Amino acid sequence: MVEYTYNADGFLIEEKSYYYYNGWVLSTHVVYTRDENNNISVEENLDQYGSVLERHEYEYDMNILFDEVVPFVNPEGEMPNPERTVNARTKDKFWTVDDSGTLTYVCDYYYYYKEIEGTGVTENVADDVKIYPNPVNDVLTVEASGFRFVEIFDLAGRCVASREVNGIADIDMSQVAKGVYFVKMNDENGTVTRKVVVE
């Protein structure tokens, strides 16, 4: 069982995982400290006793919104996933517990971004695409005149849903795991991609 806690703005600040053994027992939990923009500034993974096992200290580019970023697909499935973040992450200072049980600094991870050009989609076509609600819980509605087919991909590049649009389509997302997904539509004019969050 997993218990989620959100702040007043609706952003995740804690997740506790439990296992069942003659009752629900806390196994591990993650605590997120957020800055004034609701970016995660510190992420701590704790054991059942509250001791820190791993720690991440994040920095962000305040000029780039995460909704404008398309993360690369890592074939090994180990891509860092800054979901539910407002700005684009630029640095991850990583700490973990060493063999003696001491929380120790390991290394820094850096994120770099570049502009994607040449999609071939004219602005007026892209503006005709409407996807709602976002975040979504159950049914995602896609309005996309001019596009006949829509696919939804997870961050690992796996297609989790697809169907014909024919102007408008309702897609059942109730069985899709929580997280960030990409809604992709193709036609002879190019590709339109939008980000959607499943909660």
Side-chain angles (χ1 to χ4, degrees), residues 49-62:
Y49 306 107
S51 298
V52 179
L53 301 174
E54 288 185 353
R55 177 183 175 94
H56 299 266
E57 298 176 3
Y58 300 122
E59 295 178 12
Y60 298 87
D61 184 334
M62 307 311 288

Side-chain angles (χ1 to χ4, degrees), residues 64-184:
I64 304 175
L65 295 176
F66 183 61
D67 281 344
E68 300 170 348
V69 173
V70 179
F72 71 94
V73 175
N74 185 335
E76 296 179 2
E78 299 177 353
M79 183 189 74
N81 177 15
E83 67 175 14
R84 299 190 182 113
T85 291
V86 177
N87 295 104
R89 188 172 294 167
T90 57
K91 182 179 177 183
D92 173 359
K93 188 172 186 178
F94 176 57
W95 306 68
T96 192
V97 173
D98 63 17
D99 292 338
S100 67
T102 303
L103 189 65
T104 305
Y105 166 74
V106 178
C107 64
D108 291 340
Y109 295 98
Y110 291 91
Y111 299 75
Y112 298 97
Y113 304 91
K114 67 178 183 179
E115 238 179 282
I116 299 175
E117 299 177 358
T119 62
V121 178
T122 58
E123 286 300 320
N124 59 332
V125 172
D127 288 343
D128 285 341
V129 174
K130 294 179 183 162
I131 298 171
Y132 57 88
N134 191 8
V136 61
N137 293 308
D138 298 313
V139 177
L140 181 71
T141 299
V142 177
E143 291 184 29
S145 59
F147 291 92
R148 293 175 46 200
F149 200 74
V150 60
E151 297 173 295
I152 300 177
F153 294 90
D154 63 15
L155 290 175
R158 296 180 293 254
C159 182
V160 299
S162 63
R163 65 171 298 171
E164 290 185 15
V165 179
N166 293 326
I168 187 168
D170 291 328
I171 302 170
D172 182 9
M173 303 292 285
S174 61
Q175 302 303 310
V176 176
K178 295 179 180 180
V180 176
Y181 294 85
F182 295 99
V183 180
K184 185 176 180 182

Side-chain angles (χ1 to χ4, degrees), residues 18-32:
Y18 298 83
Y19 64 91
Y20 192 84
Y21 182 76
N22 294 328
W24 290 106
V25 180
L26 178 66
S27 57
T28 60
H29 65 282
V30 183
V31 177
Y32 303 99

